[in-house]
Amino acid sequence: MASQQTPDGTGPSETARNIGPTKERAAIDIDTVHNDEATKILDTYDGDRDWTSDEEKRLRRRVDWRLLPILCVTYGLQYYDKNILSQAALFGLRQDLGLDVGERFSWCASIFYLGFLVGAYPVMLLAQRYPVERVASAIVTLWGLCLLLTTVCTNYQGVYAQRFFLGLLEVGISPMFMLIIGSWYKKNEQAMRMGIWLCCNGYVSMVSPLINYGLGSTNPSGSSWRLMFYFAGGMTIAWGILLLFILPADPIRAKGLEPRERYVLVARLRTNNSGVRNTHYKMNQALELAGDPKFWIIFSISFLCMFANAPLSTFVPLIVKGFGYSNLQSLLLFIPVGAWSGTFQLIFCYLAMTYPGIRTWLIFIAQMVTTLAALLLWVLPLSAKGALVFATCFLSTLGGGYVVLMGLQLANTAGYTKRSIASSGLYVGYCFGNFVGPLCFKKQDAPRYVPGFIVIVIASFVAGILAVVYRYVCIWDNRKRDKAGIPEGFDHAFEDDLTDIKNPQFRYVL
């Protein structure tokens, strides 16, 4: 008999038979308007409803190798494309496009996230209504084309428009990937899998400076920055087209699965209490999310912690150059920042997977380290070059906490419409933070940008405190449900597409 895991991964709970459907129903009676589409798989399967833990591990490993490399490449390309602006700035982009006047370069970075804001909800509505792999393929191909069009811009107004539409197109990938992870993995498995693809933003930062320096150096006295966009845009378009054929969206529709494999992959997800797929938009779930204080706390954390992403995503090469380094040295010193970020994202996700109940503490720790790093960048003298570069690496610790935050949001939200909107809502907070953050770094404050780092110290500290507040709100809700006498269970995991608030058997991960 198979042993299952509790949603936080603490140990065995019910057997495969116990969490299977309680009765057989004909396919014609299955209600997928109100119920999750997973009920079609569970209720029409006529084979053995038990499975062993070894069988489950083999299937999970197969999913890992089929899904995660695709997510990693796609997200790595997104980060490469999104942050190419900061490296191109060292090779004539600012001068050629008039971005070296006033705060135009800061606005160029911020406008990208206005596009994020506009595109966040529409893209997720498309992803709920239509096959995710088709939506993902379309937007990746289109953003590659949009990136390529940077090369035809001749002034700052043109690049403003290009950056807005690039943000509008790129916003959907991370929320869609959150849905995909939630559709394939159990709660205790999600954090590590999300960390694997999210860490690519750090590790790509170890490679992109070398590529872009090579491209930029082809014509050091000219406008070699355009070569960077030709390379990145062409590569992204090719990958976007390929995604249509290789991305498996969810176990209900994925090709190449035997009926038993599909059944086990779906049935084991009942412990998530959050469903797999439902294409019907439910307004009541959207309204419930709007009144859910837990969502707004996570939204606020996402907003505040992203202030620190402004120097990381846009200004690090310029900040490091301000310490007295050359163009090449500035790009090379971006490599340890990427290594630190990617490694800490993996470490934090591994800890979240291994030790139940510490996710909010991990977010708190990440924010306190980020606060310390911003404080050092604020007060250390320019002569302390080594310490300043070290503090820049420390600043990227925020990525580890943010990955855990994304997993926490996914694990603690049930109801397919509610989960879809919450995933994009998290990115609305992310967008607001990334929009405001660059505007705190003004040209006249270079190279120290003291006011910007003061803002980061305050925002990162408050975000850490809110993580602790979120923890105790969840503890309070869990205790109320325990006192009501309804134990944690999975009877309504798929049948009713219940939200986390409406399902009294749901328990929040800490």
Side-chain angles (χ1 to χ4, degrees), residues 46-63:
D46 57 3
D48 183 6
R49 294 180 179 270
D50 293 337
W51 66 87
T52 66
S53 58
D54 287 340
E55 182 181 12
E56 183 177 349
K57 287 178 183 177
R58 284 195 300 271
L59 281 172
R60 185 176 61 232
R61 192 177 304 115
R62 181 180 169 189
V63 171

Side-chain angles (χ1 to χ4, degrees), residues 365-416:
I365 292 169
Q367 290 306 123
M368 293 303 105
V369 173
T370 303
T371 302
L372 175 61
L375 188 62
L376 292 175
L377 287 165
W378 167 16
V379 302
L380 286 175
L382 280 176
S383 58
K385 290 184 180 181
L388 287 168
V389 172
F390 187 70
T392 304
C393 291
F394 256 47
L395 195 67
S396 66
T397 306
L398 76 95
Y402 191 74
V403 172
V404 176
L405 182 73
M406 290 173 67
L408 194 64
Q409 169 85 321
L410 182 64
N412 282 349
T413 309
Y416 199 83

Side-chain angles (χ1 to χ4, degrees), residues 478-496:
N478 286 344
R479 285 177 178 171
K480 279 201 308 181
R481 297 178 185 211
D482 291 341
K483 289 179 180 178
I486 302 175
E488 182 176 15
F490 318 109
D491 299 331
H492 308 292
F494 296 145
E495 285 82 353
D496 302 306

